[in-house]
């Protein structure tokens, strides 16, 4: 497991911590790696009838309650907590909880969209009221063409839209797209380095994925402070458009 944690950490740029009896602290976003086999089994269950080429990761939250170290035994409990249909397609939410010795140590919620084959008129851009906050810093975040394949290898998220040009084009993209969880993990690792966060304190990460990222794009990461212990952040592509925000 330690080798797996190290490989995952290198891909997402997480600073590895060793604390408890020299054991490796699991990166907060490593829970996505642990949950993915379960998510994959639920999403692609024949009863769900989900086409992976039309699947979109729309929202993600991860709540870290207690730190966990490599080698500790965890149990996982998950459920499809909501399902609804709309003109643009179907939407469902999967909630997963992680337990150690009967006590919850982390919880995650993933919202997925299954795009409709019909062309739907785009709604007017959402106008979101932003709280007054102080912009701390804007940092360039570079990706490289092989990043999606490397993340697929260490995370298990090998949906063909991330690894195959043909599959990505069949899904309507110009080429393979970066996994949403990889984009989030890169952002979280960068913010943690800037704030000196080592992953041991309880915290909540939640983002909405707004646009796809193509491996090789140069991104701009911005974060601020809202006056408390919350650090709103966003990631923009080369055109200045948000690809995710908190």
């Amino acid at each position: 497991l330690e080798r797996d944690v190290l490989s995952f950490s290198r891909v997402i740029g997480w600073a590895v911590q060793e604390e408890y009896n020299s054991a490796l602290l699991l990166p907060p976003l490593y829970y996505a790696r642990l949950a993915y086999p379960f998510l994959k089994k639920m999403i692609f269950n024949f009863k769900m009838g989900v086409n992976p080429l039309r699947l979109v990761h729309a929202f993600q939250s991860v709540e870290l309650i207690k730190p966990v170290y490599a080698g500790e035994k965890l149990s996982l409990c998950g459920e499809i907590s909501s399902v609804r249909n709309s003109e643009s397609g179907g939407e469902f939410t999967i909630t997963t909880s992680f337990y150690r010795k009967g006590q919850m140590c982390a919880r995650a919620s993933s919202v997925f969209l299954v795009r409709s084959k019909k062309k739907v008129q785009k709604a007017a851009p959402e106008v979101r009221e932003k709280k007054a906050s102080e912009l701390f810093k804007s940092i360039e975040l570079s990706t490289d063409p092989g990043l999606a394949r490397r993340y697929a290898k260490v995370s298990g998220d090998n949906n063909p839209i991330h690894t195959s040009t043909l599959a990505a084009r069949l899904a309507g993209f110009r080429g393979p797209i970066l996994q949403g969880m990889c984009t989030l993990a890169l952002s979280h690792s960068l913010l943690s380095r800037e704030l000196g966060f080592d992953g041991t304190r309880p915290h909540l990460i939640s983002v909405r994925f707004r646009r796809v990222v193509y491996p090789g794009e140069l991104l701009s990461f911005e974060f601020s402070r809202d006056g408390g212990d919350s650090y709103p952040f966003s990631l923009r592509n080369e055109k200045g458009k948000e690809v995710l925000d908190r």
Side-chain angles (χ1 to χ4, degrees):
L1 180 60
E2 288 192 357
R3 182 179 298 179
D4 193 62
V5 172
L6 288 172
S7 297
F8 183 87
S9 299
R10 281 194 292 268
V11 171
I12 67 169
W14 177 259
V16 175
Q17 303 289 331
E18 293 186 10
E19 290 188 9
Y20 182 70
N21 290 334
S22 299
L24 291 176
L25 177 70
L26 298 189
L29 271 298
Y30 187 76
Y31 289 101
R33 162 74 178 91
L34 295 177
Y36 189 74
F38 172 79
L39 293 177
K40 188 175 182 180
K41 185 175 181 179
M42 292 190 72
I43 292 172
F44 300 120
N45 184 299
F46 72 94
K47 293 182 180 180
M48 290 282 287
V50 174
N51 181 345
L53 298 183
R54 309 203 69 82
L55 189 66
V56 177
H57 196 169
F59 174 86
Q60 180 68 46
S61 70
V62 177
E63 182 182 6
L64 179 66
I65 301 170
K66 296 180 180 180
V68 174
Y69 297 84
E72 293 186 303
K73 292 184 178 180
L74 300 177
S75 58
L76 184 154
C77 178
E79 63 175 348
I80 298 178
S81 53
S82 71
V83 179
R84 71 182 185 90
N85 293 314
S86 66
E87 186 181 3
S88 58
E91 177 183 303
F92 60 94
T93 302
I94 297 180
T95 302
T96 52
S97 302
F98 297 84
Y99 296 86
R100 179 184 57 197
K101 296 181 179 180
Q103 295 187 331
M104 185 183 295
C105 52
R107 178 169 46 203
S109 180
S110 309
V111 179
F112 297 93
L113 299 177
V114 183
R115 296 176 297 158
S116 171
K117 294 181 180 180
K118 298 179 182 178
K119 289 187 178 181
V120 179
Q121 184 177 1
K122 291 184 179 180
E126 179 184 356
V127 178
R128 291 172 291 124
E129 183 180 349
K130 293 188 176 182
K131 296 180 180 180
S133 57
E134 178 186 355
L135 178 64
F136 272 19
K137 193 178 290 187
S138 178
I139 308 168
E140 285 190 349
L141 178 60
S142 60
T143 65
D144 66 78
L147 182 56
R149 286 183 175 276
R150 293 201 307 278
Y151 186 79
K153 185 176 181 179
V154 299
S155 70
D157 185 356
N158 51 13
N159 185 322
I161 62 173
H162 304 306
T163 58
S164 166
T165 299
L166 176 59
R169 289 179 176 173
L170 287 173
F173 304 111
R174 68 170 187 261
I177 62 174
L178 194 60
Q179 295 89 340
M181 287 305 299
C182 181
T183 307
L184 172 55
L186 292 171
S187 300
H188 182 259
S189 295
L190 180 54
L191 181 61
S192 297
R193 290 197 302 272
E194 289 294 319
L195 299 179
F197 175 62
D198 62 4
T200 59
R201 299 191 301 274
H203 69 293
L204 173 68
I205 313 157
S206 60
V207 298
R208 182 168 297 278
F209 301 107
R210 298 193 173 276
R211 290 176 178 82
V212 300
V213 174
Y214 291 96
E217 282 191 294
L218 179 64
L219 307 172
S220 177
F221 178 81
E222 299 176 351
F223 72 96
S224 55
R225 186 173 185 176
D226 65 4
D229 292 330
S230 180
Y231 292 87
F233 63 85
S234 64
L235 196 63
R236 298 179 183 273
N237 60 22
E238 295 171 348
K239 295 180 179 180
K241 295 182 177 181
E242 287 185 337
V243 297
L244 66 75
D245 70 339
R246 178 184 183 279

